[in-house]
Amino acid sequence: MEFIVANFAPIMFAGLICFLLLGFPVAFSLGACGLFFGLVGIELGVFQSSVMAWLPQRLIGIMANDTLLAVPFFTLMGLILERSGMAEDLLDTVGQVFGPMRGGLALAVIFVGALLAATTGVVAASVISMGLISLPIMLRYGYDRRLTSGVIAASGTLAQIIPPSLVLIIMADQLGKSVGDMYKGAFLPGFMLMGLYVLYVVFLAIFKPTQVPALPPEARTFREPNGSGGYTSLVAITALSAVVAVFLARHMEAVHTWFQGEEVTFVATDEKVVVAMCGGVFVALVIALINKGLKLNLLSRLAERVTFVLIPPLLLIFLVLGTIFLGVATPTEGGAMGAMGALLMAWVRRRMSFTLLKQALGSTTRLSSFVMFILIGATVFSLVFQAADGPIWVEHLLTSLPGGPVGFLIAVNVLIFFLAFFLDYFELSFIVVPLLAPVAHKMGIDLIWFGVLLAVNMQTSFMHPPFGFALFFLRSVAPEKQYVDRVTQKVMEPVTTMQIYKGAVPFVLIQLTMVGVLIAFPQIVTGSLDKEVKVNLDDIGAQMRDSLKPEENEPPADPYGGAEESEPKVEVPGAEGAAPAAPASTPEPSAETGESDPMKAMQDALKTPPQKP
Protein backbone atom coordinates (compact mmCIF):
# COMPACT_ATOMS: atom_id res chain seq x y z
CA MET A 1 0.00 0.00 0.00
CA GLU A 2 2.87 2.36 0.77
CA PHE A 3 4.15 1.93 -2.78
CA ILE A 4 0.72 2.81 -4.22
CA VAL A 5 0.41 5.87 -1.99
CA ALA A 6 3.93 7.07 -2.86
CA ASN A 7 3.37 6.60 -6.62
CA PHE A 8 -0.33 7.36 -6.84
CA ALA A 9 -0.05 9.91 -9.70
CA PRO A 10 1.93 7.74 -12.16
CA ILE A 11 -0.27 4.74 -11.34
CA MET A 12 -3.35 6.87 -12.07
CA PHE A 13 -1.91 7.96 -15.41
CA ALA A 14 -1.09 4.36 -16.31
CA GLY A 15 -4.65 3.43 -15.33
CA LEU A 16 -6.00 5.96 -17.83
CA ILE A 17 -3.91 4.36 -20.59
CA CYS A 18 -5.38 0.97 -19.67
CA PHE A 19 -8.92 2.38 -19.81
CA LEU A 20 -8.25 3.78 -23.27
CA LEU A 21 -6.64 0.56 -24.55
CA LEU A 22 -9.73 -1.39 -23.49
CA GLY A 23 -11.63 0.51 -26.16
CA PHE A 24 -14.00 2.57 -24.03
CA PRO A 25 -14.97 6.02 -25.37
CA VAL A 26 -12.46 8.65 -24.29
CA ALA A 27 -14.97 10.85 -22.44
CA PHE A 28 -16.23 7.95 -20.30
CA SER A 29 -12.72 6.55 -19.81
CA LEU A 30 -11.56 9.88 -18.37
CA GLY A 31 -14.57 10.21 -16.08
CA ALA A 32 -14.47 6.60 -14.90
CA CYS A 33 -10.72 6.71 -14.25
CA GLY A 34 -11.09 9.94 -12.27
CA LEU A 35 -13.95 8.67 -10.11
CA PHE A 36 -12.33 5.27 -9.50
CA PHE A 37 -8.97 6.67 -8.43
CA GLY A 38 -10.74 9.41 -6.49
CA LEU A 39 -12.49 6.84 -4.29
CA VAL A 40 -9.28 4.78 -3.99
CA GLY A 41 -7.27 7.89 -3.03
CA ILE A 42 -9.77 8.86 -0.33
CA GLU A 43 -9.75 5.32 1.06
CA LEU A 44 -5.94 5.21 1.16
CA GLY A 45 -5.67 8.70 2.64
CA VAL A 46 -3.85 10.20 -0.34
CA PHE A 47 -6.15 13.26 -0.14
CA GLN A 48 -9.21 14.40 1.79
CA SER A 49 -12.74 13.42 0.85
CA SER A 50 -13.57 17.11 0.39
CA VAL A 51 -11.81 16.92 -2.99
CA MET A 52 -14.88 15.33 -4.55
CA ALA A 53 -17.03 18.17 -3.21
CA TRP A 54 -15.20 20.54 -5.58
CA LEU A 55 -16.41 18.60 -8.62
CA PRO A 56 -19.90 20.18 -9.00
CA GLN A 57 -18.40 23.67 -8.95
CA ARG A 58 -15.90 22.68 -11.66
CA LEU A 59 -18.67 21.30 -13.85
CA ILE A 60 -20.80 24.41 -13.38
CA GLY A 61 -17.77 26.47 -14.43
CA ILE A 62 -17.57 24.50 -17.69
CA MET A 63 -21.20 25.19 -18.50
CA ALA A 64 -20.71 28.90 -17.76
CA ASN A 65 -17.66 29.23 -20.06
CA ASP A 66 -18.67 31.67 -22.80
CA THR A 67 -15.56 30.92 -24.85
CA LEU A 68 -16.76 27.42 -25.69
CA LEU A 69 -19.86 28.88 -27.37
CA ALA A 70 -17.60 29.59 -30.36
CA VAL A 71 -17.37 25.82 -31.05
CA PRO A 72 -21.03 25.31 -32.12
CA PHE A 73 -21.11 28.67 -33.92
CA PHE A 74 -18.09 27.92 -36.12
CA THR A 75 -19.23 24.33 -36.66
CA LEU A 76 -22.66 25.50 -37.85
CA MET A 77 -21.06 28.08 -40.15
CA GLY A 78 -18.81 25.49 -41.76
CA LEU A 79 -21.52 22.88 -42.24
CA ILE A 80 -23.93 25.35 -43.85
CA LEU A 81 -21.25 26.58 -46.26
CA GLU A 82 -20.25 23.03 -47.13
CA ARG A 83 -23.85 21.92 -47.77
CA SER A 84 -24.74 25.08 -49.72
CA GLY A 85 -22.31 24.20 -52.51
CA MET A 86 -19.66 26.84 -51.84
CA ALA A 87 -16.83 24.28 -51.92
CA GLU A 88 -18.01 22.90 -55.26
CA ASP A 89 -18.11 26.35 -56.87
CA LEU A 90 -14.70 27.25 -55.46
CA LEU A 91 -13.03 24.06 -56.69
CA ASP A 92 -14.61 24.37 -60.13
CA THR A 93 -13.59 28.02 -60.53
CA VAL A 94 -10.08 27.84 -59.07
CA GLY A 95 -9.46 24.62 -61.01
CA GLN A 96 -10.24 26.49 -64.24
CA VAL A 97 -7.81 29.26 -63.27
CA PHE A 98 -4.85 27.00 -62.46
CA GLY A 99 -5.79 24.15 -64.82
CA PRO A 100 -3.57 25.09 -67.81
CA MET A 101 -0.39 24.70 -65.73
CA ARG A 102 1.14 21.46 -64.51
CA GLY A 103 -0.08 20.62 -61.05
CA GLY A 104 -2.80 23.24 -61.41
CA LEU A 105 -5.56 21.05 -60.03
CA ALA A 106 -3.44 20.16 -56.99
CA LEU A 107 -2.69 23.85 -56.42
CA ALA A 108 -6.42 24.58 -56.72
CA VAL A 109 -7.15 21.96 -54.05
CA ILE A 110 -4.57 23.52 -51.70
CA PHE A 111 -5.86 27.04 -52.29
CA VAL A 112 -9.50 26.03 -51.81
CA GLY A 113 -8.52 24.01 -48.74
CA ALA A 114 -7.06 27.16 -47.19
CA LEU A 115 -10.20 29.14 -48.06
CA LEU A 116 -12.46 26.48 -46.59
CA ALA A 117 -10.26 26.36 -43.50
CA ALA A 118 -10.62 30.12 -43.03
CA THR A 119 -14.40 29.94 -43.40
CA THR A 120 -15.42 26.58 -41.91
CA GLY A 121 -12.79 25.48 -39.37
CA VAL A 122 -14.05 21.88 -39.69
CA VAL A 123 -11.65 19.24 -41.04
CA ALA A 124 -14.30 16.63 -41.88
CA ALA A 125 -16.32 19.08 -43.97
CA SER A 126 -13.26 20.19 -45.95
CA VAL A 127 -11.87 16.70 -46.66
CA ILE A 128 -15.22 15.17 -47.61
CA SER A 129 -16.18 18.11 -49.84
CA MET A 130 -12.89 18.12 -51.75
CA GLY A 131 -12.83 14.34 -51.90
CA LEU A 132 -16.27 14.20 -53.51
CA ILE A 133 -15.64 17.05 -55.96
CA SER A 134 -11.97 17.12 -56.89
CA LEU A 135 -10.90 13.47 -56.53
CA PRO A 136 -12.84 12.23 -59.64
CA ILE A 137 -11.60 15.21 -61.69
CA MET A 138 -7.94 14.67 -60.77
CA LEU A 139 -8.18 10.95 -61.46
CA ARG A 140 -9.96 11.67 -64.77
CA TYR A 141 -7.04 13.73 -66.07
CA GLY A 142 -4.24 11.39 -65.01
CA TYR A 143 -3.03 12.64 -61.61
CA ASP A 144 -1.06 10.18 -59.51
CA ARG A 145 -3.39 8.48 -57.04
CA ARG A 146 -1.01 8.82 -54.10
CA LEU A 147 -0.47 12.52 -54.67
CA THR A 148 -4.19 13.09 -55.21
CA SER A 149 -5.07 11.40 -51.93
CA GLY A 150 -2.32 13.12 -49.98
CA VAL A 151 -3.00 16.64 -51.23
CA ILE A 152 -6.76 16.37 -50.56
CA ALA A 153 -6.28 15.02 -47.02
CA ALA A 154 -3.50 17.49 -46.17
CA SER A 155 -5.38 20.51 -47.53
CA GLY A 156 -8.42 19.54 -45.48
CA THR A 157 -6.36 19.47 -42.29
CA LEU A 158 -5.44 23.14 -42.78
CA ALA A 159 -8.78 23.78 -41.07
CA GLN A 160 -7.10 22.77 -37.82
CA ILE A 161 -4.41 25.47 -37.82
CA ILE A 162 -5.82 28.32 -39.94
CA PRO A 163 -8.28 30.44 -37.89
CA PRO A 164 -11.14 30.02 -37.04
CA SER A 165 -9.90 26.57 -36.00
CA LEU A 166 -11.86 24.64 -33.37
CA VAL A 167 -8.69 23.18 -31.88
CA LEU A 168 -7.30 26.68 -31.27
CA ILE A 169 -10.44 27.55 -29.28
CA ILE A 170 -9.96 24.47 -27.09
CA MET A 171 -6.22 25.12 -26.82
CA ALA A 172 -6.77 28.70 -25.67
CA ASP A 173 -9.27 27.53 -23.05
CA GLN A 174 -6.88 24.90 -21.69
CA LEU A 175 -3.92 27.31 -21.64
CA GLY A 176 -5.92 30.13 -20.07
CA LYS A 177 -5.16 32.48 -22.97
CA SER A 178 -7.26 34.64 -25.27
CA VAL A 179 -8.72 32.93 -28.33
CA GLY A 180 -8.03 36.12 -30.31
CA ASP A 181 -4.32 35.95 -29.41
CA MET A 182 -4.23 32.28 -30.35
CA TYR A 183 -5.78 33.12 -33.72
CA LYS A 184 -3.25 35.90 -34.30
CA GLY A 185 -0.36 33.62 -33.43
CA ALA A 186 -1.55 30.83 -35.75
CA PHE A 187 -2.40 33.05 -38.72
CA LEU A 188 1.08 33.23 -40.29
CA PRO A 189 2.17 29.60 -39.52
CA GLY A 190 -1.04 28.30 -41.10
CA PHE A 191 -0.41 30.05 -44.40
CA MET A 192 3.29 29.15 -44.26
CA LEU A 193 2.27 25.50 -44.06
CA MET A 194 0.04 26.02 -47.09
CA GLY A 195 3.08 27.53 -48.86
CA LEU A 196 5.12 24.40 -48.11
CA TYR A 197 2.39 22.27 -49.69
CA VAL A 198 2.52 24.49 -52.78
CA LEU A 199 6.32 24.17 -53.00
CA TYR A 200 6.01 20.38 -52.87
CA VAL A 201 3.52 20.37 -55.76
CA VAL A 202 5.72 22.76 -57.76
CA PHE A 203 8.69 20.46 -57.14
CA LEU A 204 6.72 17.52 -58.56
CA ALA A 205 5.58 19.62 -61.51
CA ILE A 206 9.23 20.34 -62.39
CA PHE A 207 10.85 16.97 -61.73
CA LYS A 208 7.92 14.51 -62.13
CA PRO A 209 5.52 16.19 -64.57
CA THR A 210 3.74 12.93 -65.44
CA GLN A 211 2.28 12.79 -61.93
CA VAL A 212 0.69 16.26 -62.20
CA PRO A 213 -0.44 16.88 -65.82
CA ALA A 214 -2.09 20.07 -66.98
CA LEU A 215 -5.81 20.28 -67.70
CA PRO A 216 -6.49 19.53 -71.41
CA PRO A 217 -7.98 22.33 -73.56
CA GLU A 218 -11.36 20.58 -73.93
CA ALA A 219 -11.80 20.66 -70.13
CA ARG A 220 -11.48 24.44 -69.89
CA THR A 221 -15.05 25.69 -69.90
CA PHE A 222 -14.72 29.44 -69.27
CA ARG A 223 -13.57 30.62 -72.70
CA GLU A 224 -14.23 33.79 -74.63
CA PRO A 225 -16.05 33.78 -78.03
CA ASN A 226 -12.71 34.31 -79.78
CA GLY A 227 -11.28 31.21 -78.07
CA SER A 228 -8.99 32.97 -75.59
CA GLY A 229 -8.93 32.02 -71.93
CA GLY A 230 -9.73 35.51 -70.64
CA TYR A 231 -6.68 35.72 -68.41
CA THR A 232 -5.77 39.30 -69.40
CA SER A 233 -8.65 40.98 -67.59
CA LEU A 234 -8.27 38.55 -64.67
CA VAL A 235 -4.60 39.52 -64.27
CA ALA A 236 -5.50 43.21 -64.56
CA ILE A 237 -8.17 43.17 -61.85
CA THR A 238 -5.95 40.99 -59.64
CA ALA A 239 -3.04 43.43 -60.05
CA LEU A 240 -5.28 46.39 -59.19
CA SER A 241 -6.56 44.61 -56.08
CA ALA A 242 -2.99 43.76 -55.08
CA VAL A 243 -1.90 47.41 -55.45
CA VAL A 244 -4.77 48.57 -53.22
CA ALA A 245 -3.97 45.86 -50.67
CA VAL A 246 -0.25 46.74 -50.55
CA PHE A 247 -1.07 50.44 -50.22
CA LEU A 248 -3.39 49.74 -47.29
CA ALA A 249 -0.85 47.45 -45.63
CA ARG A 250 1.91 50.07 -45.84
CA HIS A 251 -0.34 52.87 -44.53
CA MET A 252 -2.32 50.83 -41.98
CA GLU A 253 -1.09 52.97 -39.07
CA ALA A 254 -2.38 56.11 -40.79
CA VAL A 255 -5.72 54.42 -41.48
CA HIS A 256 -6.04 53.47 -37.81
CA THR A 257 -5.07 56.98 -36.73
CA TRP A 258 -7.78 58.46 -38.97
CA PHE A 259 -10.39 55.94 -37.83
CA GLN A 260 -9.69 56.12 -34.09
CA GLY A 261 -8.92 59.83 -33.89
CA GLU A 262 -5.63 59.25 -32.07
CA GLU A 263 -2.13 58.40 -33.22
CA VAL A 264 -1.42 54.68 -33.78
CA THR A 265 2.23 53.72 -34.31
CA PHE A 266 2.00 49.90 -34.49
CA VAL A 267 -0.43 47.47 -36.14
CA ALA A 268 0.02 43.68 -35.93
CA THR A 269 1.00 41.84 -39.12
CA ASP A 270 -2.04 39.56 -39.16
CA GLU A 271 -4.35 42.53 -38.85
CA LYS A 272 -2.59 44.26 -41.75
CA VAL A 273 -2.97 41.15 -43.92
CA VAL A 274 -6.68 40.65 -43.22
CA VAL A 275 -7.69 44.30 -43.59
CA ALA A 276 -5.49 44.90 -46.66
CA MET A 277 -6.76 41.73 -48.34
CA CYS A 278 -10.37 42.69 -47.74
CA GLY A 279 -9.74 46.21 -49.04
CA GLY A 280 -8.35 44.83 -52.29
CA VAL A 281 -11.21 42.33 -52.54
CA PHE A 282 -13.78 45.09 -52.05
CA VAL A 283 -12.26 47.08 -54.92
CA ALA A 284 -12.48 44.03 -57.20
CA LEU A 285 -16.12 43.49 -56.21
CA VAL A 286 -17.03 47.11 -56.96
CA ILE A 287 -15.38 46.92 -60.38
CA ALA A 288 -17.16 43.64 -61.21
CA LEU A 289 -20.55 45.00 -60.10
CA ILE A 290 -20.13 48.19 -62.16
CA ASN A 291 -19.03 46.17 -65.17
CA LYS A 292 -22.02 43.85 -64.91
CA GLY A 293 -24.56 46.57 -64.06
CA LEU A 294 -23.54 48.89 -66.89
CA LYS A 295 -22.71 46.01 -69.29
CA LEU A 296 -19.28 47.46 -70.07
CA ASN A 297 -17.84 44.03 -71.02
CA LEU A 298 -14.47 44.98 -69.55
CA LEU A 299 -14.06 41.64 -67.77
CA SER A 300 -13.91 38.18 -69.28
CA ARG A 301 -16.19 35.32 -68.24
CA LEU A 302 -13.37 33.82 -66.22
CA ALA A 303 -12.62 37.10 -64.41
CA GLU A 304 -16.29 37.64 -63.55
CA ARG A 305 -16.67 34.06 -62.37
CA VAL A 306 -13.60 34.27 -60.16
CA THR A 307 -14.70 37.59 -58.67
CA PHE A 308 -18.27 36.59 -57.82
CA VAL A 309 -17.28 33.14 -56.50
CA LEU A 310 -14.31 34.23 -54.37
CA ILE A 311 -15.74 37.45 -52.94
CA PRO A 312 -18.43 35.94 -50.63
CA PRO A 313 -16.09 33.61 -48.69
CA LEU A 314 -13.42 36.30 -48.50
CA LEU A 315 -15.93 38.79 -47.09
CA LEU A 316 -17.01 36.14 -44.60
CA ILE A 317 -13.37 35.78 -43.56
CA PHE A 318 -13.25 39.51 -42.89
CA LEU A 319 -16.53 39.35 -40.99
CA VAL A 320 -15.15 36.65 -38.70
CA LEU A 321 -11.37 37.11 -38.47
CA GLY A 322 -11.28 40.83 -39.24
CA THR A 323 -13.62 41.77 -36.41
CA ILE A 324 -11.70 39.51 -34.01
CA PHE A 325 -8.27 40.87 -35.00
CA LEU A 326 -9.50 44.46 -34.91
CA GLY A 327 -10.88 43.95 -31.40
CA VAL A 328 -14.43 44.76 -32.49
CA ALA A 329 -15.81 41.35 -31.54
CA THR A 330 -14.84 38.43 -29.32
CA PRO A 331 -14.33 35.00 -30.95
CA THR A 332 -17.75 33.94 -29.68
CA GLU A 333 -19.38 37.00 -31.24
CA GLY A 334 -17.34 36.50 -34.41
CA GLY A 335 -18.57 32.91 -34.62
CA ALA A 336 -22.17 34.05 -34.23
CA MET A 337 -21.73 36.61 -37.02
CA GLY A 338 -20.06 33.96 -39.19
CA ALA A 339 -22.95 31.53 -38.70
CA MET A 340 -25.43 34.29 -39.58
CA GLY A 341 -23.34 35.27 -42.61
CA ALA A 342 -23.29 31.64 -43.80
CA LEU A 343 -27.08 31.45 -43.49
CA LEU A 344 -27.45 34.65 -45.52
CA MET A 345 -25.01 33.42 -48.19
CA ALA A 346 -26.95 30.15 -48.54
CA TRP A 347 -30.23 32.07 -48.75
CA VAL A 348 -28.90 34.49 -51.39
CA ARG A 349 -27.65 31.56 -53.46
CA ARG A 350 -31.15 30.01 -53.15
CA ARG A 351 -29.72 26.88 -51.57
CA MET A 352 -31.14 27.40 -48.11
CA SER A 353 -33.76 24.81 -47.21
CA PHE A 354 -35.27 23.35 -44.08
CA THR A 355 -33.56 20.01 -44.78
CA LEU A 356 -30.14 21.67 -45.05
CA LEU A 357 -30.69 23.61 -41.83
CA LYS A 358 -31.89 20.51 -40.00
CA GLN A 359 -28.85 18.48 -41.07
CA ALA A 360 -26.43 21.27 -40.12
CA LEU A 361 -28.03 21.78 -36.70
CA GLY A 362 -28.02 18.03 -36.01
CA SER A 363 -24.33 17.66 -36.88
CA THR A 364 -23.47 20.76 -34.85
CA THR A 365 -25.29 19.38 -31.81
CA ARG A 366 -23.49 16.04 -32.04
CA LEU A 367 -20.02 17.62 -32.33
CA SER A 368 -20.69 20.13 -29.52
CA SER A 369 -21.98 17.36 -27.24
CA PHE A 370 -18.90 15.28 -28.07
CA VAL A 371 -16.64 18.18 -27.04
CA MET A 372 -18.57 18.87 -23.84
CA PHE A 373 -18.56 15.24 -22.69
CA ILE A 374 -14.80 14.97 -23.25
CA LEU A 375 -14.31 18.22 -21.33
CA ILE A 376 -16.44 16.98 -18.42
CA GLY A 377 -14.53 13.68 -18.28
CA ALA A 378 -11.18 15.50 -18.50
CA THR A 379 -12.27 17.80 -15.64
CA VAL A 380 -13.07 14.82 -13.39
CA PHE A 381 -9.71 13.22 -14.18
CA SER A 382 -7.67 16.40 -13.76
CA LEU A 383 -9.34 17.26 -10.44
CA VAL A 384 -8.28 13.97 -8.86
CA PHE A 385 -4.90 14.02 -10.61
CA GLN A 386 -4.14 17.48 -9.20
CA ALA A 387 -5.25 16.43 -5.72
CA ALA A 388 -2.73 13.56 -5.93
CA ASP A 389 0.06 16.06 -6.82
CA GLY A 390 0.15 14.76 -10.37
CA PRO A 391 1.31 18.08 -11.86
CA ILE A 392 4.32 18.04 -9.52
CA TRP A 393 5.22 14.56 -10.74
CA VAL A 394 4.91 15.67 -14.37
CA GLU A 395 6.96 18.80 -13.67
CA HIS A 396 9.79 16.84 -12.06
CA LEU A 397 9.68 14.36 -14.92
CA LEU A 398 9.94 16.99 -17.65
CA THR A 399 12.21 19.58 -16.04
CA SER A 400 14.89 16.93 -15.53
CA LEU A 401 15.22 16.46 -19.29
CA PRO A 402 18.55 17.58 -20.78
CA GLY A 403 18.70 20.61 -23.04
CA GLY A 404 16.59 23.04 -21.03
CA PRO A 405 13.55 24.57 -22.78
CA VAL A 406 14.65 23.33 -26.22
CA GLY A 407 15.04 19.77 -24.93
CA PHE A 408 11.63 20.08 -23.26
CA LEU A 409 10.01 21.25 -26.52
CA ILE A 410 11.60 18.46 -28.55
CA ALA A 411 10.58 15.78 -26.04
CA VAL A 412 7.03 17.12 -25.78
CA ASN A 413 6.59 17.25 -29.56
CA VAL A 414 7.92 13.71 -29.95
CA LEU A 415 5.43 12.61 -27.27
CA ILE A 416 2.54 14.42 -28.99
CA PHE A 417 3.54 12.95 -32.35
CA PHE A 418 3.32 9.37 -31.09
CA LEU A 419 0.19 9.94 -28.99
CA ALA A 420 -1.46 11.36 -32.10
CA PHE A 421 -1.40 7.86 -33.59
CA PHE A 422 -4.10 6.86 -31.10
CA LEU A 423 -5.77 10.08 -29.90
CA ASP A 424 -7.33 12.91 -31.87
CA TYR A 425 -6.73 16.60 -31.25
CA PHE A 426 -9.69 17.07 -28.88
CA GLU A 427 -8.49 14.27 -26.62
CA LEU A 428 -4.88 15.48 -26.72
CA SER A 429 -6.00 19.02 -25.88
CA PHE A 430 -8.02 17.92 -22.87
CA ILE A 431 -5.67 15.23 -21.50
CA VAL A 432 -2.08 16.22 -22.30
CA VAL A 433 -2.06 20.01 -22.66
CA PRO A 434 -3.21 20.77 -19.06
CA LEU A 435 -0.28 18.67 -17.82
CA LEU A 436 2.31 20.35 -20.05
CA ALA A 437 1.21 23.99 -19.83
CA PRO A 438 2.34 24.65 -16.19
CA VAL A 439 5.78 23.22 -16.93
CA ALA A 440 6.14 25.32 -20.07
CA HIS A 441 5.06 28.46 -18.19
CA LYS A 442 7.58 27.77 -15.41
CA MET A 443 10.35 27.44 -18.02
CA GLY A 444 9.49 30.88 -19.40
CA ILE A 445 8.00 29.58 -22.67
CA ASP A 446 5.35 31.80 -24.25
CA LEU A 447 2.09 29.84 -23.97
CA ILE A 448 0.65 31.22 -27.22
CA TRP A 449 3.74 30.00 -29.09
CA PHE A 450 3.54 26.70 -27.18
CA GLY A 451 -0.13 26.27 -28.09
CA VAL A 452 0.37 27.00 -31.79
CA LEU A 453 3.36 24.65 -31.86
CA LEU A 454 1.30 21.83 -30.35
CA ALA A 455 -1.59 22.60 -32.73
CA VAL A 456 0.67 22.18 -35.77
CA ASN A 457 1.98 18.93 -34.31
CA MET A 458 -1.53 17.68 -33.51
CA GLN A 459 -2.41 18.29 -37.13
CA THR A 460 -0.39 15.17 -37.89
CA SER A 461 -3.01 13.18 -35.95
CA PHE A 462 -5.28 13.57 -38.99
CA MET A 463 -2.61 12.29 -41.37
CA HIS A 464 -1.00 9.39 -39.47
CA PRO A 465 -1.31 6.09 -41.29
CA PRO A 466 -3.20 4.01 -40.37
CA PHE A 467 -5.30 5.93 -37.80
CA GLY A 468 -5.52 9.42 -39.33
CA PHE A 469 -9.07 10.74 -39.32
CA ALA A 470 -8.57 12.70 -42.56
CA LEU A 471 -7.55 9.43 -44.22
CA PHE A 472 -10.73 7.79 -42.92
CA PHE A 473 -12.83 10.68 -44.23
CA LEU A 474 -11.18 10.40 -47.65
CA ARG A 475 -11.54 6.60 -47.65
CA SER A 476 -15.28 7.00 -47.11
CA VAL A 477 -15.72 8.98 -50.37
CA ALA A 478 -12.94 7.48 -52.55
CA PRO A 479 -13.99 4.80 -55.06
CA GLU A 480 -13.41 1.28 -53.74
CA LYS A 481 -14.31 -0.51 -56.98
CA GLN A 482 -13.89 0.07 -60.69
CA TYR A 483 -16.25 2.69 -62.08
CA VAL A 484 -17.05 4.37 -65.40
CA ASP A 485 -16.17 8.04 -65.57
CA ARG A 486 -19.26 10.07 -66.48
CA VAL A 487 -17.32 12.47 -68.78
CA THR A 488 -14.77 10.33 -70.61
CA GLN A 489 -16.76 7.04 -70.31
CA LYS A 490 -13.50 5.27 -69.46
CA VAL A 491 -13.23 2.50 -66.88
CA MET A 492 -11.34 3.93 -63.89
CA GLU A 493 -9.41 1.89 -61.35
CA PRO A 494 -10.28 2.29 -57.65
CA VAL A 495 -8.21 4.13 -55.06
CA THR A 496 -6.74 1.64 -52.60
CA THR A 497 -6.23 2.24 -48.90
CA MET A 498 -2.48 1.73 -49.26
CA GLN A 499 -2.32 4.47 -51.92
CA ILE A 500 -4.04 6.85 -49.49
CA TYR A 501 -1.54 5.95 -46.75
CA LYS A 502 1.49 6.38 -49.02
CA GLY A 503 0.20 9.72 -50.27
CA ALA A 504 -0.10 11.02 -46.70
CA VAL A 505 3.53 10.33 -45.73
CA PRO A 506 5.18 13.29 -47.59
CA PHE A 507 2.68 15.72 -46.10
CA VAL A 508 3.27 14.37 -42.58
CA LEU A 509 6.97 15.08 -43.11
CA ILE A 510 6.12 18.62 -44.29
CA GLN A 511 4.05 19.17 -41.13
CA LEU A 512 6.93 17.96 -38.95
CA THR A 513 9.25 20.32 -40.84
CA MET A 514 6.91 23.17 -39.91
CA VAL A 515 7.12 22.11 -36.26
CA GLY A 516 10.92 22.38 -36.44
CA VAL A 517 10.70 25.81 -38.11
CA LEU A 518 8.44 27.09 -35.31
CA ILE A 519 10.82 25.80 -32.63
CA ALA A 520 13.77 27.48 -34.36
CA PHE A 521 11.94 30.77 -35.08
CA PRO A 522 9.37 31.52 -32.36
CA GLN A 523 8.96 35.09 -33.65
CA ILE A 524 6.83 33.65 -36.47
CA VAL A 525 4.13 33.28 -33.82
CA THR A 526 5.02 35.93 -31.25
CA GLY A 527 5.67 38.63 -33.86
CA SER A 528 1.97 38.71 -34.73
CA LEU A 529 0.86 39.36 -31.16
CA ASP A 530 0.12 42.76 -29.69
CA LYS A 531 3.11 44.28 -27.95
CA GLU A 532 2.98 43.88 -24.19
CA VAL A 533 2.73 47.17 -22.34
CA LYS A 534 5.32 47.22 -19.58
CA VAL A 535 4.49 49.27 -16.49
CA ASN A 536 7.20 50.52 -14.13
CA LEU A 537 5.60 50.79 -10.71
CA ASP A 538 8.54 52.78 -9.34
CA ASP A 539 8.04 55.49 -11.97
CA ILE A 540 4.32 55.61 -11.24
CA GLY A 541 5.03 55.97 -7.50
CA ALA A 542 7.49 58.81 -8.17
CA GLN A 543 4.93 60.62 -10.33
CA MET A 544 2.31 60.29 -7.60
CA ARG A 545 4.68 61.67 -4.98
CA ASP A 546 5.57 64.59 -7.26
CA SER A 547 1.91 65.40 -7.88
CA LEU A 548 1.16 65.39 -4.16
CA LYS A 549 4.18 67.52 -3.24
CA PRO A 550 3.14 71.21 -2.67
CA GLU A 551 4.89 73.89 -4.67
CA GLU A 552 7.28 76.32 -3.04
CA ASN A 553 5.62 79.11 -0.88
CA GLU A 554 2.20 77.48 -1.38
CA PRO A 555 0.20 76.00 1.48
CA PRO A 556 -0.70 72.34 1.18
CA ALA A 557 -4.04 71.57 -0.42
CA ASP A 558 -6.94 70.60 1.80
CA PRO A 559 -7.14 66.80 1.58
CA TYR A 560 -10.89 66.97 2.23
CA GLY A 561 -11.59 69.18 -0.78
CA GLY A 562 -12.38 72.40 1.08
CA ALA A 563 -12.14 75.76 -0.64
CA GLU A 564 -8.80 77.53 -0.41
CA GLU A 565 -10.24 80.72 1.07
CA SER A 566 -12.08 78.93 3.85
CA GLU A 567 -10.08 78.65 7.04
CA PRO A 568 -10.18 75.29 8.72
CA LYS A 569 -11.86 75.46 12.13
CA VAL A 570 -11.07 72.68 14.49
CA GLU A 571 -12.83 72.17 17.81
CA VAL A 572 -11.10 70.58 20.75
CA PRO A 573 -12.75 67.25 21.49
CA GLY A 574 -14.77 67.21 24.69
CA ALA A 575 -15.19 71.02 24.96
CA GLU A 576 -18.80 71.77 24.04
CA GLY A 577 -19.52 75.39 23.29
CA ALA A 578 -15.87 76.27 23.29
CA ALA A 579 -14.64 79.02 21.05
CA PRO A 580 -13.23 77.90 17.74
CA ALA A 581 -9.54 77.37 17.65
CA ALA A 582 -7.29 79.83 15.92
CA PRO A 583 -6.45 79.15 12.30
CA ALA A 584 -3.69 76.66 11.94
CA SER A 585 -0.48 78.15 10.75
CA THR A 586 1.40 76.70 7.83
CA PRO A 587 3.59 73.93 9.21
CA GLU A 588 7.30 74.35 9.01
CA PRO A 589 9.29 71.91 6.95
CA SER A 590 10.71 69.00 8.84
CA ALA A 591 14.38 69.24 9.57
CA GLU A 592 14.94 65.64 8.51
CA THR A 593 12.90 65.43 5.35
CA GLY A 594 12.62 69.06 4.23
CA GLU A 595 8.89 68.52 3.63
CA SER A 596 5.80 69.63 5.54
CA ASP A 597 4.88 67.34 8.42
CA PRO A 598 1.09 66.80 8.41
CA MET A 599 1.13 65.18 11.87
CA LYS A 600 2.84 68.21 13.41
CA ALA A 601 0.33 70.51 11.71
CA MET A 602 -2.56 68.56 13.18
CA GLN A 603 -1.02 68.60 16.64
CA ASP A 604 -0.48 72.36 16.45
CA ALA A 605 -4.07 72.87 15.33
CA LEU A 606 -5.47 70.87 18.20
CA LYS A 607 -3.05 72.50 20.61
CA THR A 608 -2.41 69.24 22.33
CA PRO A 609 0.91 67.77 23.31
CA PRO A 610 2.28 65.14 20.97
CA GLN A 611 1.20 61.60 21.73
CA LYS A 612 3.65 58.77 21.88
CA PRO A 613 3.04 56.21 19.21
Side-chain angles (χ1 to χ4, degrees), residues 232-254:
T232 303
S233 58
L234 177 61
V235 171
I237 195 172
T238 303
L240 181 60
S241 299
V243 169
V244 173
V246 171
F247 178 82
L248 284 176
R250 291 189 174 182
H251 298 83
M252 193 62 64
E253 290 81 3

Side-chain angles (χ1 to χ4, degrees), residues 299-375:
L299 299 179
S300 63
R301 290 180 59 202
L302 181 63
E304 277 195 353
R305 172 78 176 182
V306 169
T307 303
F308 289 120
V309 169
L310 290 182
I311 293 301
L314 289 175
L315 288 180
L316 191 61
I317 292 172
F318 175 73
L319 181 67
V320 176
L321 297 183
T323 52
I324 294 173
F325 289 168
L326 293 174
V328 177
T330 65
T332 302
E333 295 165 347
M337 290 190 296
M340 192 63 195
L343 288 170
L344 290 175
M345 284 176 56
W347 179 75
V348 169
R349 295 161 62 89
R350 297 181 181 180
R351 296 181 180 179
M352 188 66 202
S353 64
F354 180 75
T355 303
L356 184 150
L357 184 60
K358 183 179 178 181
Q359 291 175 350
L361 289 174
S363 300
T364 300
T365 304
R366 284 194 295 271
L367 180 60
S368 302
S369 301
F370 168 74
V371 172
M372 292 305 296
F373 269 102
I374 290 183
L375 182 54

